[in-house]
Amino acid sequence: MGKMGFQWWKGSIVWLVLVAVAVTVTLSLTSVDSKVAEAAAPVFKDISGHWAKESIEAAVKAGILNGYPDQTFKPQNPITRAELLKVIALTTKVEAAAAPAGKPWYTGYQKALTDAKIYAAGDFTGELSKAVTRMEMAKLAVRGANAEYRGAKLTADELMFRAVNAGLLSRTGAKAETIDPDGTTTRAQAAAIVTRLLKLAGGGKLSVDQGASSAAEIKWHDHNVITMLEQDDLVKLPFTKEMRPGYEVSIQQLVIMDPLDKDGYYAEYLDGARFQIYGKFIDPKKTPGLVFGYKLVGKNLVVDANRSESADSSYYMYTEGDVGATEIQDKYYYYDMKTIEREGIFRNKMALYFGKKGNIEHNWSLPFIPKSDIEKQVKKYGGFPIHLRTYSGQKDYYLTGVKDIWAK
C-alpha cells in the first residue's frame, strides 16, 4: 500500500504551463549561488513580456543556459536531446567528464546521467541532435527531482504523471487534458524546468495543476485517486464484479472531480450540473463535495426476455454518511435507445435488455460525497475507503486497500 493522506487543495492552481501561459516560478537561490544572484540580470531583447522571462534570466544567471551573441535568447527555439542532457546534468550538479576524443560533445553528460540513473537507455526515441519531446524531458526531470525514481522501472505514462504531479510540468492549453507529451520542448520551457528543479533542490515547493495531474494520472492507470485523495491504494482497473445474479458491471475508470474547480479535469461536464443529497438539491459552495465519476460497462450473463438492468443503478457508495447524486445537463443525456460508448461523461437513458446473452451497456454513475464525510472517514481509518454496496444481495466490494468496519 502506498502513502495515505488527504488534501482538498494543493495550493491555488497556477498555470505552470511550458508554453504561452503568463506565470513563472521565482527561483530561490541558495548561499552557494550568492555570487550568481549578485550578478546583473542578462539582457535579451526578445524576452520582454515573455511568460518565462524570469525563469530564463535565472537559468542564465545560474550558468545553465546561455543566450546568443546578438543579445537574443530565442525562447521559442527547440532544445535538442543532447542539449537537455547538459542542462539536466548542470541543474542536478552531476559532474561530467569531457567527451573522449572522437566522441560527440555530449557523451560525458550522457554517461554521467546514466551513472546517476537519471538517464536510461531508451529514454530518447531518436537521434540526440533532434528536438526533445515533453515526455522525454519529463523522464529526466522527474528522476532529477526525486532519487526515489532513479533506476525504477516506471512506464512513460507514470513518469509523465509524476512530473505533472510534482509541479514540474502542466497543461499546454485551456483544458486539463492538454498535456502534449509528444510536443516539442522549447528553450523557454527548458528554462522553466531548470528553475523548478533548483527550487525543489533548495527545499521549495511547486504549485501543482490539479486538473493536469488528474489527466496524466488517468492516462496512466484510469483513475486520479492519487491526485485527488493522495492515496495510492486503488485496485487495478477495470474492476469487474457480478452486481446482480446474471449481470456483471465493469468499472472502466474512476474520475474524481471537484465541482468548485473550474479548471479541473472534465470540468465542462459539471458546468450547470445540480447536486443533491437524499433527494434535496444543495449548493456545493455551502456543502463542498466531490463527484466520484464511475465509467461503467454492464453485461448480461444470462438470457431473460423479461429482464433489463442499468449499470448506474446496480450499486451505491457506502460512506457512513451522506451520499448524494449529480444531475448533469440534459445535453449529456441520450434518449436514442442506444447503450453505446460516448465521448466524455454521458448518461444513456436506456436499460440493458437481456434478450440476448452478452449484450453491453455503457453508462456513468456520478455519486456526490460531501467532503466533511470523507474527512471523517480519513480521520477514522487513515484513508478514504471506497466501499461499493450492491442494491441487490447486499454484496460489498472495496476499490481501496483502506476498508471500513463493514469489511469481512
Side-chain angles (χ1 to χ4, degrees), residues 331-348:
K331 63 182 178 180
Y332 301 123
Y333 284 74
Y334 291 86
Y335 303 88
D336 56 7
M337 308 299 287
K338 296 179 181 179
T339 61
I340 61 175
E341 167 76 5
R342 318 274 187 177
E343 182 179 353
I345 294 178
F346 57 87
R347 298 295 298 273
N348 282 321

Side-chain angles (χ1 to χ4, degrees), residues 209-280:
D209 182 337
Q210 188 170 258
S213 180
S214 289
E217 187 178 357
I218 290 165
K219 187 177 187 301
W220 167 33
H221 57 191
D222 293 311
H223 69 76
N224 60 337
V225 173
I226 299 175
T227 298
M228 299 301 291
L229 302 181
E230 288 198 339
Q231 285 185 210
D232 193 6
D233 65 336
L234 201 78
V235 298
K236 185 177 180 179
L237 299 181
F239 178 83
T240 305
K241 293 293 182 181
E242 190 174 48
M243 296 294 178
R244 303 182 198 266
Y247 180 60
E248 71 176 24
V249 173
S250 177
I251 298 173
Q252 302 288 304
Q253 288 187 345
L254 172 54
V255 181
I256 304 175
M257 297 164 281
D258 186 339
L260 302 183
D261 182 4
K262 301 305 179 183
D263 295 317
Y265 184 79
Y266 274 0
E268 65 268 32
Y269 296 100
L270 296 187
D271 185 28
R274 299 198 300 171
F275 310 93
Q276 54 178 291
I277 296 176
Y278 294 128
K280 181 180 179 181

Side-chain angles (χ1 to χ4, degrees), residues 1 117 207 285 293 302 353 370:
M1 185 184 303
K117 297 184 179 180
S207 296
K285 292 181 180 179
V302 298
Y353 175 55

